[in-house]
């Protein structure tokens, strides 16, 4: 199973690097990044689209037509349309999210940027996001891009992941630690 995940990761990496090089040659790095970010959002919001890209029973022609319609509606660039069309034609849409992540990661790496994933119990305000960005910039020492997500199960606080580091200040984690400490000391919760 691990090798299957590695295979998909390697496949996604190859495709994302190829797209990066094409975008670089066409001086369209930012446009493609914008297109891919929009496509990633569309995938995150549509369970039907996620099923379409992962389904082995839907023909490549049907997948290609459906993706073309989605991309036309999203008004993405011709380069992005051709790339996703090729991915559909090669029956590789199941790895599209990895390709998007790989492209965006390569763009950030080449620009000297670090991407951090911030998960909070509630959406962050602009002031809170700015404070997190400033704190990470001071800690890391380079430009920081932040991807945010919301997980109400955290109850409060946030989880910040960047590189191999993770800082978890969520109330859920603190309650879990307290519960474990109470169990270890023989108390009940």
């Amino acid at each position: 199973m691990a090798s299957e995940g590695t295979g998909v990761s390697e496949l996604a990496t190859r495709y994302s690097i190829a797209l990066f090089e094409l975008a670089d040659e066409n001086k369209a790095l930012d446009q493609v990044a914008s297109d891919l970010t929009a496509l990633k959002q569309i995938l995150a919001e549509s369970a039907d689209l996620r099923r379409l890209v992962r389904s082995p029973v839907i023909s490549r022609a049907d997948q290609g037509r459906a993706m073309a319609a989605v991309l036309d509606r999203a008004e993405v660039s011709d380069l992005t349309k051709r790339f996703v069309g090729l991915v559909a034609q090669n029956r590789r849409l199941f790895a599209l999210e990895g390709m998007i992540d790989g492209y965006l990661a390569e763009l950030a790496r080449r620009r000297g940027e670090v991407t951090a994933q911030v998960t909070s119990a509630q959406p962050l305000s602009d002031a809170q996001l700015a404070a997190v960005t400033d704190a990470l910039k001071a800690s890391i020492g380079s430009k920081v891009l932040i991807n945010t997500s919301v997980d109400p199960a955290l109850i409060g606080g946030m989880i910040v992941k960047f590189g191999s580091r993770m800082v978890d200040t969520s109330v859920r984690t603190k309650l879990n630690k307290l519960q474990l400490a109470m169990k270890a000391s023989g108390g009940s919760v």
Side-chain angles (χ1 to χ4, degrees), residues 107-118:
L107 182 62
R109 186 188 71 76
R110 293 212 187 169
R111 290 181 172 170
E113 301 167 340
V114 175
T115 301
Q117 178 64 42
V118 177

Side-chain angles (χ1 to χ4, degrees), residues 49 52-53 55-70 85 88-89 91 93:
L49 186 58
L52 173 101
V53 301
S55 176
V57 296
I58 299 173
S59 74
R60 69 179 75 198
D62 289 344
Q63 284 181 325
R65 280 192 295 276
M67 289 305 296
V70 167
Q89 180 182 345
R91 304 247 343 133
L93 283 175

Side-chain angles (χ1 to χ4, degrees), residues 8-26:
V8 170
S9 177
E10 290 172 5
L11 173 77
T13 300
R14 285 196 315 266
Y15 273 79
S16 63
I17 296 301
L19 177 59
F20 187 90
E21 290 172 358
L22 278 172
D24 195 20
E25 285 174 20
N26 290 294

Side-chain angles (χ1 to χ4, degrees), residues 80-147:
T80 303
K81 286 180 193 174
R82 287 192 326 241
F83 175 77
V84 174
L86 177 68
V87 171
Q89 180 182 345
N90 291 344
R91 304 247 343 133
R92 302 292 189 249
L93 283 175
F94 63 88
L96 185 59
E97 289 183 69
M99 294 173 197
I100 292 170
D101 291 341
Y103 179 92
L104 296 174
E106 180 64 13
L107 182 62
R109 186 188 71 76
R110 293 212 187 169
R111 290 181 172 170
E113 301 167 340
V114 175
T115 301
Q117 178 64 42
V118 177
T119 306
S120 58
Q122 298 176 12
L124 296 176
S125 69
D126 291 340
Q128 290 169 323
L129 189 57
V132 169
T133 302
D134 291 344
L136 286 171
K137 195 180 292 183
S139 173
I140 298 170
S142 64
K143 185 174 180 184
V144 179
L145 299 175
I146 298 194
N147 292 331

Side-chain angles (χ1 to χ4, degrees), residues 38-47 49-50 53 96-97 100:
L39 181 55
K40 184 175 180 174
Q41 183 67 33
I42 293 167
L43 282 165
E45 293 172 355
S46 174
L49 186 58
R50 286 192 307 274
V53 301
L96 185 59
E97 289 183 69
I100 292 170

